[in-house]
Amino acid sequence: MATKKQIYAVLASTVIAAPILFTSPVSAGANTNTIFSKLERQLSVNRIIKDIERLSMDELLEVNKDNARVTGFEGEHEAARYIQGQFDKLGLSTDLLTIDNIDGFIDEGSTCTVDESSITVKTMTYSQPTNETLEGELVYAGLGRVEDFQEGSLDGKIALIERGEISFGEKAKNAYAKGAKGVIIYNNTSGMLNGTLGSLEESKVPTVGMSSEDGSKLVDRLEAGETVKASLKVDTQVRKDSYSYNVVGEIAANKGVKNPQTIVIGAHFDSVSCPGANDNASGTATILEVAKLLSQPQIKSKLQYNVRFVAFGAEEIGLIGSKEYVDQLVKSGEAENIAGMINLDMVGTGDKLVTYNLNDSADHKMTDIAETSIKELGYTYGGHYNSGSSDHAPFEASGIPAVFIQVDKDPYYHTDEDTVDKIDPFNIEMTSKVVLDMVMDMNNKKPQKLDNKIQKTDMLYENQQMPRQ
C-alpha cells in the first residue's frame, strides 16, 4: 500500500415519519453531570436518521444509489463535501484532506456454480474480472501458502483456499503463480467472507470469498476424492488513479486552557457496493449530531479539550484514510498530544454495544472509559474483543489510546439490505449518549500528563470483514 491507495462506498432511500421519542434507561453517576443531562435532553435521533438517509439518497448525491459512496467515485466525493458543509454550518474549524493515488473499485456482482448448484460468493476488492464465465476443476490448497501447493497442481484450475495466517492478496498471488485461473477463499469463522486483495496493481486473478459452511463442504468432497467442477463469473468496475478525502471539523477548547489536549471522534463514511446505511452512515451521522451538541457556545466554553471530528475515507479497502491521517499526526508530532480516539463503526443495527481494541497490549484507557459510561447509563454491554478491522487500528498501532464502539450484530452487513429502514433508533440514541458521556467524563477530570509511546508504524491489515463473535 506504499505506492498505491484504493477504495469503496454506497446508498439508500427511505421516508422518515413522525418524531421518535424514547424513554431513557435509568442512569447512575453519569446523569448527575448537569451538562450531560442538558445534552441528553437536546439529542435528536431524528436528525441523525435524516443524515443517514441523506448519505444514502441518490437524489442528494445524484448517482446510482447502489454505489453512492464508493471511494474514488463522485458519490463518495459528494458525501465528503456534504459532511464538510455540516461542520461548516456548526462553526467548526474544517478541513478537507485529499488522499491521492486511489484506485476506485465497484463490485458489480459475482456468481459461483458447483455441479449446476449456485453458491453465494462475494467479490474480493480489486479482484480481476472474469469477462466471461470461467470454468475449471476445484483444487483444495490449504491456507494458500507457497508450501501448500504441489507443482503443476493448479494449472488451469480454480484454487479453494482457507482464510487465515497470510493475507488474501498473498493467497491469490501464490495460487496464480502456480497456474490457477480463479481463486475462492472461504471463511474460517461463521458467515460470508468479504475482503480485499490490497491493491489493483497487485491483483492477478479473479478472486471471491465464500462462507465457512459452503467452503468446508467442498473441502470434504475434495478430500474424499471427488472431482468437483466449478464456474465463476466476476463483474467489476475500476477507476484508476482517483482520490478520496478525510473530512475534519474541530471545536477548540476553552481559551483559558493552556496547551489543551485533543480528543478525536471518528467514523468512516465510505462503503462497499451496497446502500451502506449502517456501514457506516450510522457512525458518520452520529458524530455529526455529537458535533452539533458540543459546538453550542454554552458547552464549548466549558471544554477542557479540543474535540476533533474526523470522517475517514477509504476504510473499506484497508483503512487507508485513517492510516494516512495518523501518519501525518506522527510526522508532525501532534500525535503526542492526542488524549484518545473514539471510533464509531456500524452503530445502528444490532442488539448490544461492544468494544474493541487492536490487541491485548494496546492502551485500554479509552475502552475503560467507554465501558464505565455504558454501564452507568444502564445499557447492556456485550463485552470487549480484539480487532484491527476499523479506523481505531492505526491510532493504537502508533501508540494513541483508542476504542472502537459497535452495536452487534448486523445481519445485513455488506449486503443490499443495509438500508436506512434497518436502523434501530434506540441504538443511535444509545451510542450518541455513550460518546457524549465519555467526553463529559474526560472533561470533568483534570487532563493527565500524556505518556503516549508514539511510533511511526507500517501496519499490514488483513482487510477483512467486521469482527463476528
Side-chain angles (χ1 to χ4, degrees), residues 400-450:
I400 299 171
V403 60
F404 166 19
I405 298 174
Q406 180 189 25
V407 179
D408 194 57
K409 298 178 179 179
D410 181 2
Y412 313 110
Y413 167 72
H414 279 193
T415 73
D416 291 339
E417 297 301 308
D418 182 10
T419 49
V420 71
D421 59 296
K422 308 301 192 312
I423 299 295
D424 185 339
F426 179 78
N427 290 339
I428 295 296
E429 178 200 39
M430 174 172 61
T431 305
S432 302
K433 289 183 179 179
V434 167
V435 174
L436 289 166
D437 189 59
M438 291 177 67
V439 174
M440 290 299 101
D441 179 71
M442 295 177 70
N443 202 62
N444 288 343
K445 297 173 182 175
K446 184 177 180 180
Q448 302 295 309
K449 179 177 173 57
L450 294 178

Side-chain angles (χ1 to χ4, degrees), residues 142-180:
L143 290 169
R145 301 164 298 186
V146 173
E147 60 268 29
D148 292 324
F149 299 100
Q150 296 179 2
E151 195 64 38
S153 63
L154 284 178
D155 288 343
K157 298 177 182 177
I158 299 173
L160 179 63
I161 300 173
E162 183 180 5
R163 171 187 181 180
E165 194 164 317
I166 61 175
S167 72
F168 303 140
E170 288 180 87
K171 295 174 188 289
K173 283 192 287 186
N174 290 343
Y176 176 78
K178 294 297 182 180

Side-chain angles (χ1 to χ4, degrees), residues 201-212:
E201 62 186 14
E202 293 294 319
S203 175
K204 303 295 183 184
V205 63
T207 306
V208 298
M210 180 180 283
S211 72
S212 172

